[in-house]
Amino acid sequence: MASSIIVIAEHLDGRIRQVTYELIACAVKLQRFEPLPIKVMILGDDVVGMAREIAESSGQDIVAVQAPTLQRYNGEAYRDLLQNLLGQYHSTYVCAAHTSQGLDFAPALAVALAADCITGVEDIVEKDGSICVARPLYGGKIIAYHSLGSKTSILTVQPGIFKPLECEFQAPGAVEIKSMIYESRQSVSLGLKQAAADTSGIAEAKVIVAAGRGIGEAQNLDIIEQLANVFPRSAVAGSRIVCDMGWLEYKCQVGVTGATVTPELYLACGISGAVQHVSGMRNSGFIVAINKDPAAAIFQISDVCVVEDLTTFIPIFIETYKKFKSHK
Ligand SMILES: Cc1cc2nc3c(=O)[nH]c(=O)nc-3n(C[C@H](O)[C@H](O)[C@H](O)COP(=O)(O)OP(=O)(O)OC[C@H]3O[C@@H](n4cnc5c(N)ncnc54)[C@H](O)[C@@H]3O)c2cc1C
């Protein structure tokens, strides 16, 4: 059988996740360099409806893998079922999402297939005649290019980077249904617990002051709150690290695994600008970043770059603002 580019669809609660269409866009970009057929695979206990939806909205051929025991996502099941299927489809490239789910099964699948696994892919380019994938290193400060070898390459693709394609196809893709019996031996999925609804106000705020690890310690959130108080309709948010450390609640987290926000003004304080954070705030109206490292990646997407120690700069800024206001 000829080689192909395989996309592993991601879905939750009976709905296709947006990242699936981004993966298809990534596969189409790969196809420009190597004209292989694309197949999208979707796994679950009842996925035929979603498979048809993808086939109709993308024009790509789909394999719907129906496994009655796969009511919930299970990494072991994905690894075993895909190992079996990918052998049959002789895949050259496999595109999975760089999400908790993709990161759970993709490396294990690569081991099972003796394939390469490249994570956090942000672009596909040609360099010196070979196809390369680009991935950021050191919080986006440098970009590494990996040429794709002769083995199967499993890529986890960063969400929010590839734009889903506008439909330009003649007919919906074909849907092939495969029924498989599967019993996991080592793990049982108990389900997913929904995070508490966002009551932090970051979704509605016009101004967001976001704290990163650069604030140094939880007490310095006080400066961040004081800065937020300068603006009406403002809210305090944070990077994932700040939430992981318990300095802010998870409902305040901005990024790929947190909230996506589009305030008029986003003030990033002590945030490096990792792609997972940036994908949740890059569409803000105006971005100001305060960071003591002039090479911080956040400056690449900022309208105003303040290279200062935030613990010195923010109090002076607030004081100056108050003086300015009292003289008006
Ligand atoms: C699957 C996955 C999902 C993820 N999802 C998210 C997500 O949704 N949201 C998210 O934010 N991250 C997410 N991350 C984590 C992300 O990769 C980064 O690790 C995180 O965003 C970094 O947070 P930070 O910028 O606060 O910290 P750091 O990267 O440590 O940056 C701290 C910055 O502060 C600066 N600094 C230090 N001291 C000062 C000072 N005194 N004054 C001014 N600047 C200072 C430093 O120069 C540095 O640039 C995810 C990671 C993975 C793998």
Side-chain angles (χ1 to χ4, degrees), residues 98-100 103 139 141 158 211-216 238-242 253-259 269-278 290-293 296-297 308-311:
H98 192 76
T99 55
S100 334
L103 283 175
K141 275 188 204 161
Q158 192 64 57
R213 196 195 334 230
I215 66 166
S239 67
R240 174 158 137 184
I241 290 186
V242 165
Q253 182 187 318
V254 169
V256 75
T257 45
C269 308
I271 290 180
S272 59
V275 65
Q276 294 90 354
H277 185 83
V278 166
I290 308 165
N291 197 306
K292 65 180 184 184
D293 175 4
E308 287 290 350
D309 184 322
L310 65 90
T311 55

Side-chain angles (χ1 to χ4, degrees), residues 57-70:
S57 51
S58 69
Q60 302 293 348
D61 292 347
I62 318 290
V63 181
V65 183
Q66 295 266 97
T69 46
L70 203 56

